[in-house]
Coordinates of all heavy atoms in Angstrom, one line a residue:
F1 N 18.7 -2.3 19.0 CA 18.3 -2.0 17.7 C 17.2 -3.0 17.3 O 17.4 -4.2 17.5 CB 19.5 -2.1 16.7 CG 19.1 -1.9 15.3 CD1 18.9 -0.7 14.7 CD2 19.1 -3.1 14.4 CE1 18.6 -0.5 13.4 CE2 18.7 -2.9 13.2 CZ 18.5 -1.6 12.6
F2 N 16.2 -2.5 16.7 CA 15.1 -3.4 16.2 C 14.7 -2.9 14.8 O 14.8 -1.8 14.4 CB 14.0 -3.6 17.1 CG 13.3 -2.2 17.5 CD1 12.2 -1.8 16.8 CD2 13.8 -1.4 18.5 CE1 11.6 -0.6 17.0 CE2 13.2 -0.2 18.8 CZ 12.1 0.2 18.1
E3 N 14.1 -3.8 14.0 CA 13.7 -3.5 12.7 C 12.2 -3.3 12.6 O 11.4 -4.1 13.3 CB 14.1 -4.7 11.8 CG 14.1 -4.3 10.3 CD 14.7 -5.4 9.5 OE1 15.8 -5.7 9.8 OE2 14.1 -5.8 8.5
I4 N 11.7 -2.3 12.0 CA 10.3 -2.0 11.8 C 9.9 -2.2 10.4 O 10.6 -1.6 9.5 CB 10.0 -0.6 12.3 CG1 10.2 -0.4 13.8 CG2 8.5 -0.3 12.0 CD1 10.1 1.0 14.3
E5 N 8.9 -2.9 10.1 CA 8.3 -2.9 8.7 C 6.9 -2.4 8.8 O 6.1 -2.8 9.6 CB 8.3 -4.4 8.3 CG 7.7 -4.5 6.8 CD 7.8 -5.9 6.3 OE1 8.8 -6.5 6.5 OE2 6.7 -6.3 5.8
V6 N 6.6 -1.5 7.9 CA 5.2 -0.9 7.9 C 4.7 -1.2 6.5 O 5.3 -0.9 5.4 CB 5.3 0.7 8.0 CG1 4.0 1.3 7.9 CG2 5.9 1.0 9.4
S7 N 3.4 -1.7 6.5 CA 2.7 -2.0 5.3 C 1.3 -1.5 5.4 O 0.7 -1.5 6.5 CB 2.6 -3.5 5.0 OG 4.0 -4.0 4.8
F8 N 0.8 -1.0 4.3 CA -0.6 -0.5 4.4 C -1.5 -1.4 3.5 O -1.2 -1.6 2.3 CB -0.7 1.0 3.8 CG 0.1 2.0 4.6 CD1 1.4 2.3 4.3 CD2 -0.5 2.6 5.7 CE1 2.1 3.2 5.0 CE2 0.1 3.5 6.4 CZ 1.4 3.8 6.2
F9 N -2.6 -1.9 4.1 CA -3.5 -2.8 3.4 C -4.9 -2.2 3.6 O -5.3 -1.9 4.7 CB -3.4 -4.2 3.9 CG -2.1 -4.9 3.7 CD1 -1.3 -5.0 4.8 CD2 -1.6 -5.2 2.5 CE1 0.0 -5.6 4.7 CE2 -0.4 -5.8 2.3 CZ 0.4 -6.0 3.4
Y10 N -5.6 -2.2 2.5 CA -7.0 -1.7 2.5 C -7.9 -2.7 1.9 O -7.6 -3.3 0.8 CB -7.1 -0.3 1.8 CG -6.3 0.8 2.4 CD1 -5.0 1.0 2.0 CD2 -6.8 1.6 3.4 CE1 -4.3 2.0 2.5 CE2 -6.1 2.6 4.0 CZ -4.8 2.8 3.5 OH -4.0 3.8 4.1
F11 N -9.1 -2.8 2.4 CA -10.2 -3.7 1.8 C -11.4 -2.8 1.9 O -11.8 -2.3 2.9 CB -10.3 -5.0 2.5 CG -11.5 -5.8 2.0 CD1 -11.4 -6.5 0.8 CD2 -12.7 -5.9 2.7 CE1 -12.5 -7.2 0.3 CE2 -13.8 -6.6 2.3 CZ -13.7 -7.3 1.1
T12 N -12.2 -2.7 0.8 CA -13.4 -1.9 0.8 C -14.6 -2.8 0.4 O -14.5 -3.5 -0.6 CB -13.3 -0.8 -0.3 OG1 -12.1 0.0 0.0 CG2 -14.5 0.1 -0.3
A13 N -15.6 -2.8 1.2 CA -16.8 -3.5 1.0 C -18.0 -2.7 1.6 O -17.8 -2.2 2.7 CB -16.8 -4.9 1.6
G14 N -19.1 -2.5 0.9 CA -20.1 -1.7 1.4 C -19.7 -0.3 1.5 O -19.4 0.2 2.6
T15 N -19.6 0.4 0.5 CA -19.0 1.8 0.5 C -19.9 2.9 1.1 O -19.5 4.0 1.2 CB -18.7 2.2 -1.0 OG1 -19.9 2.3 -1.7 CG2 -17.8 1.2 -1.6
G16 N -21.1 2.6 1.5 CA -21.9 3.6 2.2 C -22.2 4.8 1.2 O -22.3 5.9 1.7
G17 N -22.4 4.5 -0.1 CA -22.7 5.5 -1.0 C -21.5 6.2 -1.6 O -21.6 7.1 -2.5
A18 N -20.3 5.8 -1.2 CA -19.1 6.4 -1.8 C -18.4 5.6 -2.9 O -17.3 5.8 -3.3 CB -18.0 6.6 -0.7
G19 N -19.2 4.7 -3.5 CA -18.7 3.8 -4.6 C -18.1 4.5 -5.7 O -17.0 4.1 -6.2
A20 N -18.8 5.5 -6.2 CA -18.3 6.3 -7.4 C -16.9 7.0 -7.0 O -16.0 7.0 -7.9 CB -19.3 7.4 -7.8
T21 N -16.8 7.5 -5.9 CA -15.5 8.1 -5.4 C -14.4 7.1 -5.3 O -13.3 7.4 -5.8 CB -15.7 8.8 -4.1 OG1 -16.8 9.8 -4.2 CG2 -14.4 9.5 -3.6
I22 N -14.7 6.0 -4.7 CA -13.7 4.9 -4.6 C -13.3 4.4 -5.9 O -12.1 4.2 -6.2 CB -14.2 3.8 -3.7 CG1 -14.3 4.3 -2.2 CG2 -13.4 2.5 -3.8 CD1 -15.0 3.3 -1.3
L23 N -14.2 4.2 -6.8 CA -13.9 3.7 -8.2 C -13.0 4.8 -8.9 O -12.0 4.4 -9.5 CB -15.2 3.5 -9.0 CG -15.1 2.9 -10.4 CD1 -14.4 1.6 -10.3 CD2 -16.4 2.8 -11.0
A24 N -13.4 6.1 -8.8 CA -12.6 7.1 -9.5 C -11.2 7.2 -8.9 O -10.2 7.2 -9.7 CB -13.3 8.4 -9.3
S25 N -11.0 7.1 -7.6 CA -9.7 7.2 -7.0 C -8.9 6.0 -7.3 O -7.6 6.1 -7.5 CB -9.8 7.4 -5.5 OG -10.4 6.4 -4.9
T26 N -9.5 4.8 -7.4 CA -8.8 3.6 -7.8 C -8.3 3.7 -9.2 O -7.1 3.4 -9.5 CB -9.7 2.3 -7.7 OG1 -10.1 2.2 -6.4 CG2 -9.0 1.1 -8.1
F27 N -9.0 4.3 -10.2 CA -8.5 4.4 -11.5 C -7.4 5.4 -11.5 O -6.5 5.2 -12.3 CB -9.7 4.9 -12.4 CG -10.6 3.7 -12.9 CD1 -11.9 3.7 -12.7 CD2 -10.0 2.7 -13.6 CE1 -12.7 2.7 -13.1 CE2 -10.8 1.6 -14.0 CZ -12.1 1.6 -13.8
L28 N -7.4 6.5 -10.8 CA -6.3 7.4 -10.7 C -5.1 6.7 -10.2 O -4.0 6.9 -10.7 CB -6.7 8.6 -9.8 CG -7.7 9.6 -10.4 CD1 -8.1 10.6 -9.4 CD2 -7.1 10.3 -11.6
L29 N -5.2 5.9 -9.1 CA -4.1 5.2 -8.6 C -3.5 4.2 -9.6 O -2.3 3.9 -9.5 CB -4.4 4.5 -7.2 CG -4.7 5.4 -6.1 CD1 -5.3 4.6 -4.9 CD2 -3.5 6.1 -5.7
L30 N -4.4 3.6 -10.4 CA -3.9 2.7 -11.4 C -3.1 3.3 -12.5 O -2.5 2.6 -13.3 CB -5.1 1.9 -12.0 CG -5.7 0.8 -11.0 CD1 -7.0 0.3 -11.6 CD2 -4.7 -0.3 -10.7
S31 N -3.1 4.6 -12.6 CA -2.5 5.3 -13.6 C -1.1 5.7 -13.3 O -0.3 6.3 -14.1 CB -3.3 6.6 -14.0 OG -3.2 7.6 -13.0
E32 N -0.6 5.4 -12.1 CA 0.8 5.8 -11.7 C 1.5 4.6 -11.1 O 0.9 3.7 -10.5 CB 0.8 7.0 -10.8 CG -0.1 6.8 -9.6 CD -0.2 8.1 -8.8 OE1 -0.3 9.2 -9.4 OE2 -0.3 8.0 -7.6
D33 N 2.8 4.6 -11.2 CA 3.6 3.5 -10.6 C 3.4 3.5 -9.1 O 3.2 4.6 -8.5 CB 5.1 3.7 -11.0 CG 5.4 3.2 -12.4 OD1 4.6 2.6 -13.0 OD2 6.5 3.5 -12.9
T34 N 3.7 2.4 -8.5 CA 3.6 2.3 -7.0 C 5.0 2.5 -6.5 O 5.9 1.9 -6.9 CB 3.1 0.8 -6.7 OG1 1.9 0.6 -7.3 CG2 3.1 0.6 -5.2
E35 N 5.1 3.5 -5.6 CA 6.3 3.9 -4.9 C 6.4 3.1 -3.6 O 5.4 3.0 -2.9 CB 6.4 5.3 -4.6 CG 6.2 6.2 -5.9 CD 7.4 6.2 -6.8 OE1 8.6 6.0 -6.3 OE2 7.2 6.3 -8.0
F36 N 7.6 2.6 -3.3 CA 7.9 1.9 -2.1 C 9.3 2.0 -1.7 O 10.1 2.4 -2.5 CB 7.4 0.4 -2.1 CG 8.2 -0.4 -3.1 CD1 9.2 -1.3 -2.6 CD2 8.0 -0.4 -4.5 CE1 10.0 -2.0 -3.5 CE2 8.7 -1.2 -5.3 CZ 9.7 -2.0 -4.9
Y37 N 9.6 1.7 -0.4 CA 11.0 1.7 0.1 C 11.5 0.4 0.4 O 10.7 -0.4 1.0 CB 11.0 2.7 1.3 CG 10.9 4.1 0.9 CD1 9.6 4.7 0.8 CD2 12.0 4.9 0.7 CE1 9.5 6.0 0.5 CE2 11.8 6.2 0.3 CZ 10.5 6.7 0.3 OH 10.4 8.1 -0.1
S38 N 12.7 0.1 0.0 CA 13.4 -1.2 0.4 C 14.8 -0.9 0.7 O 15.5 -0.3 -0.1 CB 13.2 -2.2 -0.8 OG 13.9 -3.4 -0.4
E39 N 15.2 -1.3 1.9 CA 16.6 -1.0 2.3 C 17.0 0.4 2.2 O 18.1 0.8 1.7 CB 17.6 -2.0 1.6 CG 17.3 -3.4 1.9 CD 18.2 -4.4 1.2 OE1 19.2 -3.9 0.6 OE2 17.9 -5.6 1.3
G40 N 16.1 1.3 2.5 CA 16.4 2.8 2.4 C 16.3 3.4 1.1 O 16.5 4.6 0.9
R41 N 16.0 2.6 0.1 CA 15.9 3.2 -1.3 C 14.5 3.2 -1.8 O 13.7 2.4 -1.5 CB 16.7 2.2 -2.3 CG 18.2 2.2 -2.0 CD 19.0 1.3 -3.0 NE 18.4 0.0 -3.0 CZ 18.3 -0.7 -4.1 NH1 18.6 -0.3 -5.2 NH2 17.8 -2.0 -4.0
R42 N 14.2 4.4 -2.4 CA 12.9 4.5 -3.0 C 12.9 3.8 -4.4 O 13.7 4.1 -5.2 CB 12.6 6.0 -3.2 CG 11.2 6.3 -3.7 CD 11.0 7.8 -3.7 NE 9.7 8.1 -4.2 CZ 9.1 9.3 -4.2 NH1 9.8 10.3 -3.7 NH2 7.9 9.4 -4.7
L43 N 11.9 2.9 -4.5 CA 11.8 2.2 -5.7 C 10.3 2.3 -6.2 O 9.5 2.8 -5.5 CB 12.1 0.7 -5.4 CG 13.4 0.4 -4.8 CD1 13.5 -1.1 -4.3 CD2 14.5 0.7 -5.8
S44 N 10.1 1.8 -7.4 CA 8.7 1.8 -8.0 C 8.5 0.5 -8.7 O 9.5 -0.2 -9.2 CB 8.5 3.0 -8.8 OG 9.3 3.0 -10.0
R45 N 7.3 0.2 -8.9 CA 6.8 -1.0 -9.7 C 5.5 -0.7 -10.3 O 4.8 0.3 -9.9 CB 6.8 -2.2 -8.8 CG 5.8 -2.2 -7.7 CD 5.9 -3.5 -6.9 NE 5.2 -3.3 -5.6 CZ 5.7 -3.8 -4.5 NH1 6.7 -4.6 -4.5 NH2 5.1 -3.6 -3.4
A46 N 5.1 -1.5 -11.2 CA 3.8 -1.3 -11.9 C 2.6 -1.3 -11.0 O 2.6 -2.0 -9.9 CB 3.6 -2.4 -13.0
P47 N 1.6 -0.5 -11.2 CA 0.5 -0.4 -10.3 C -0.3 -1.8 -10.4 O -0.2 -2.5 -11.4 CB -0.4 0.7 -10.9 CG 0.0 0.9 -12.3 CD 1.5 0.5 -12.3
A48 N -1.0 -2.2 -9.4 CA -1.8 -3.3 -9.3 C -0.9 -4.6 -9.4 O -1.4 -5.7 -9.9 CB -3.0 -3.4 -10.2
S49 N 0.3 -4.5 -9.1 CA 1.3 -5.6 -9.2 C 1.4 -6.2 -7.7 O 0.9 -5.7 -6.8 CB 2.6 -5.2 -9.7 OG 3.2 -4.2 -8.9
A50 N 2.2 -7.2 -7.6 CA 2.6 -7.8 -6.3 C 1.4 -8.3 -5.5 O 1.3 -7.8 -4.4 CB 3.5 -6.9 -5.6
P51 N 0.5 -9.1 -6.1 CA -0.6 -9.5 -5.3 C -0.2 -10.3 -4.0 O 0.8 -11.0 -4.0 CB -1.4 -10.4 -6.2 CG -0.4 -10.8 -7.3 CD 0.6 -9.7 -7.4
E52 N -0.9 -10.0 -2.9 CA -0.6 -10.6 -1.6 C -1.8 -10.9 -0.9 O -2.8 -10.2 -0.9 CB 0.3 -9.6 -0.9 CG 0.8 -10.1 0.5 CD 1.7 -9.1 1.1 OE1 2.2 -8.1 0.5 OE2 1.9 -9.2 2.4
Q53 N -1.9 -12.1 -0.2 CA -3.0 -12.5 0.6 C -2.8 -11.8 2.0 O -1.7 -12.0 2.6 CB -3.1 -14.0 0.8 CG -3.5 -14.8 -0.4 CD -5.0 -14.8 -0.5 OE1 -5.8 -14.5 0.5 NE2 -5.5 -15.0 -1.7
V54 N -3.8 -11.2 2.5 CA -3.8 -10.5 3.7 C -5.0 -10.9 4.6 O -6.1 -11.0 4.1 CB -3.8 -8.9 3.5 CG1 -3.9 -8.2 4.9 CG2 -2.6 -8.5 2.8
D55 N -4.8 -11.2 5.8 CA -5.8 -11.6 6.7 C -6.3 -10.4 7.5 O -5.6 -9.9 8.3 CB -5.4 -12.7 7.7 CG -6.5 -13.3 8.5 OD1 -7.6 -12.8 8.5 OD2 -6.2 -14.2 9.2
F56 N -7.5 -9.9 7.2 CA -8.1 -8.8 7.8 C -8.8 -9.1 9.1 O -9.3 -8.3 9.8 CB -9.1 -8.0 6.9 CG -8.3 -7.3 5.7 CD1 -8.1 -7.9 4.5 CD2 -7.8 -6.0 5.9 CE1 -7.4 -7.3 3.5 CE2 -7.2 -5.3 4.9 CZ -7.0 -5.9 3.7
G57 N -8.9 -10.5 9.3 CA -9.6 -10.9 10.5 C -11.1 -10.9 10.5 O -11.7 -10.3 9.5
G58 N -11.7 -11.4 11.5 CA -13.2 -11.3 11.6 C -13.9 -11.8 10.4 O -13.5 -12.8 9.7
S59 N -15.0 -11.2 10.1 CA -15.9 -11.6 9.0 C -15.3 -11.3 7.6 O -15.7 -11.8 6.6 CB -17.2 -10.9 9.1 OG -17.1 -9.5 9.0
V60 N -14.3 -10.4 7.5 CA -13.6 -10.1 6.3 C -12.7 -11.2 5.9 O -12.7 -11.6 4.7 CB -12.9 -8.7 6.3 CG1 -12.1 -8.4 5.1 CG2 -13.8 -7.6 6.7
G61 N -11.9 -11.7 6.8 CA -11.1 -12.9 6.5 C -9.9 -12.5 5.6 O -9.5 -11.4 5.5
R62 N -9.5 -13.5 4.8 CA -8.3 -13.4 3.9 C -8.8 -12.8 2.6 O -9.7 -13.3 2.0 CB -7.6 -14.7 3.8 CG -6.9 -15.2 5.0 CD -6.1 -16.5 4.8 NE -5.0 -16.3 3.9 CZ -3.8 -15.7 4.2 NH1 -3.6 -15.3 5.4 NH2 -2.9 -15.6 3.3
R63 N -8.0 -11.8 2.1 CA -8.4 -11.2 0.8 C -7.1 -11.0 0.0 O -6.0 -10.7 0.6 CB -9.0 -9.8 1.0 CG -10.3 -9.9 1.8 CD -11.4 -10.6 1.0 NE -12.6 -10.8 1.9 CZ -13.7 -11.0 1.4 NH1 -13.9 -11.1 0.1 NH2 -14.8 -11.1 2.3
L64 N -7.2 -11.0 -1.3 CA -6.1 -10.8 -2.2 C -6.1 -9.2 -2.4 O -7.1 -8.6 -2.8 CB -6.3 -11.5 -3.5 CG -5.1 -11.5 -4.5 CD1 -3.9 -12.1 -3.9 CD2 -5.5 -12.2 -5.8
V65 N -4.9 -8.6 -2.1 CA -4.7 -7.2 -2.3 C -3.6 -7.0 -3.3 O -2.7 -7.8 -3.6 CB -4.4 -6.5 -1.0 CG1 -5.6 -6.7 0.0 CG2 -3.1 -7.0 -0.4
Y66 N -3.6 -5.8 -3.9 CA -2.6 -5.4 -4.9 C -1.9 -4.1 -4.6 O -2.5 -3.3 -3.9 CB -3.3 -5.3 -6.3 CG -3.9 -6.5 -6.7 CD1 -5.2 -6.9 -6.4 CD2 -3.2 -7.5 -7.5 CE1 -5.8 -8.0 -6.8 CE2 -3.8 -8.6 -7.9 CZ -5.1 -8.9 -7.5 OH -5.7 -10.1 -8.0
A67 N -0.7 -3.9 -5.0 CA 0.1 -2.7 -4.8 C -0.5 -1.5 -5.5 O -0.7 -1.6 -6.7 CB 1.6 -2.9 -5.1
L68 N -0.8 -0.4 -4.8 CA -1.2 0.8 -5.4 C -0.4 1.9 -4.8 O 0.1 1.8 -3.6 CB -2.7 1.1 -5.1 CG -3.7 0.2 -5.8 CD1 -5.1 0.5 -5.4 CD2 -3.5 0.3 -7.4
N69 N -0.2 3.0 -5.4 CA 0.6 4.1 -4.9 C -0.3 4.9 -3.9 O -1.3 5.4 -4.1 CB 1.0 5.1 -6.1 CG 2.2 5.9 -5.7 OD1 3.0 5.4 -5.0 ND2 2.3 7.1 -6.3
L70 N 0.3 5.0 -2.7 CA -0.4 5.7 -1.6 C 0.5 6.8 -0.9 O 1.7 6.5 -0.7 CB -0.9 4.8 -0.5 CG -1.8 3.6 -1.0 CD1 -2.0 2.6 0.1 CD2 -3.2 4.3 -1.4
P71 N 0.0 8.0 -0.7 CA 0.9 9.0 -0.1 C 1.3 8.6 1.3 O 2.3 9.1 1.8 CB 0.0 10.2 -0.1 CG -1.4 9.8 -0.3 CD -1.3 8.5 -1.0
E72 N 0.6 7.7 1.9 CA 1.0 7.3 3.3 C 2.4 6.7 3.3 O 3.1 6.7 4.3 CB 0.0 6.3 3.9 CG -1.4 6.8 4.1 CD -2.3 6.7 2.9 OE1 -1.9 6.7 1.7 OE2 -3.5 6.6 3.2
V73 N 2.8 6.1 2.2 CA 4.1 5.4 2.2 C 5.3 6.4 2.4 O 6.1 6.3 3.2 CB 4.3 4.6 0.9 CG1 5.7 4.1 0.7 CG2 3.3 3.5 0.8
E74 N 5.2 7.5 1.6 CA 6.2 8.5 1.6 C 6.2 9.2 3.0 O 7.2 9.4 3.6 CB 6.0 9.5 0.6 CG 6.8 10.8 0.7 CD 8.1 10.8 -0.2 OE1 8.1 9.9 -1.2 OE2 9.0 11.5 0.0
S75 N 5.0 9.5 3.5 CA 4.8 10.2 4.8 C 5.4 9.3 5.9 O 6.1 9.9 6.8 CB 3.3 10.5 5.1 OG 2.8 11.3 4.1
A76 N 5.1 8.1 6.0 CA 5.5 7.2 7.0 C 7.1 7.1 7.0 O 7.7 7.1 8.1 CB 4.9 5.8 6.9
Q77 N 7.7 7.0 5.8 CA 9.1 6.9 5.7 C 9.7 8.1 6.2 O 10.7 8.1 7.0 CB 9.5 6.6 4.2 CG 10.9 6.1 4.0 CD 11.9 7.2 4.1 OE1 11.6 8.4 3.8 NE2 13.1 6.8 4.4
R78 N 9.2 9.3 5.8 CA 9.8 10.6 6.2 C 9.5 10.9 7.7 O 10.5 11.2 8.4 CB 9.2 11.7 5.4 CG 9.8 13.0 5.6 CD 9.3 14.1 4.6 NE 8.0 13.9 4.0 CZ 6.8 14.2 4.5 NH1 6.8 14.8 5.7 NH2 5.7 13.9 3.9
V79 N 8.3 10.7 8.2 CA 8.0 11.1 9.6 C 8.6 10.2 10.6 O 9.1 10.6 11.6 CB 6.5 11.1 9.7 CG1 6.1 11.3 11.2 CG2 5.8 12.2 8.9
F80 N 8.6 8.9 10.3 CA 9.1 7.9 11.2 C 10.6 7.6 11.0 O 11.3 6.8 11.8 CB 8.3 6.6 11.3 CG 6.9 6.9 11.7 CD1 5.8 6.7 10.9 CD2 6.6 7.4 13.0 CE1 4.5 6.9 11.2 CE2 5.3 7.6 13.4 CZ 4.3 7.4 12.5
G81 N 11.2 8.1 9.9 CA 12.6 7.9 9.6 C 12.9 6.4 9.4 O 13.9 5.9 9.7
L82 N 12.0 5.7 8.7 CA 12.1 4.3 8.4 C 13.2 4.2 7.3 O 13.3 5.0 6.4 CB 10.8 3.7 8.0 CG 9.7 3.8 8.9 CD1 8.4 3.3 8.4 CD2 10.0 3.0 10.2
S83 N 14.0 3.1 7.4 CA 15.1 3.0 6.5 C 14.8 2.1 5.3 O 15.4 2.1 4.3 CB 16.3 2.4 7.2 OG 16.0 1.1 7.7
G84 N 13.7 1.4 5.3 CA 13.4 0.5 4.2 C 11.9 0.3 4.0 O 11.1 0.9 4.5

């Protein structure tokens, strides 16, 4: 038995012309609570909460990221049968 933890982190720089789309989607994500799983339970917290330093490596380096609601969280929990 082993434990798996899955986290999704994104950093955007140089949008290649998609800046308006990224800005609009960010505002939409900021309008809903962030869903996450802990110990098999679905929980929620305020959007843009829980700041965390993440090392993206290379020239990006360490960046401060914030919790946003992403459909990947629900999908990963369901598809991979993750318990937390």
Side-chain angles (χ1 to χ4, degrees):
F1 174 79
F2 58 94
E3 197 170 306
I4 297 174
E5 181 178 313
V6 177
S7 298
F8 295 94
F9 299 108
Y10 298 90
F11 174 75
T12 304
T15 62
T21 301
I22 290 172
L23 185 60
S25 62
T26 300
F27 279 122
L28 289 172
L29 290 171
L30 289 169
S31 71
E32 55 189 37
D33 283 347
T34 301
E35 304 290 327
F36 65 101
Y37 288 85
S38 179
E39 298 180 7
R41 295 182 302 141
R42 184 177 179 168
L43 304 170
S44 65
R45 60 180 163 220
S49 61
E52 186 176 341
Q53 284 281 336
V54 174
D55 188 352
F56 289 93
S59 61
V60 175
R62 294 184 65 77
R63 301 292 175 161
L64 189 61
V65 298
Y66 299 86
L68 293 175
N69 202 31
L70 299 171
E72 293 92 332
V73 172
E74 171 99 17
S75 297
Q77 197 279 336
R78 185 173 24 85
V79 170
F80 299 117
L82 302 175
S83 63

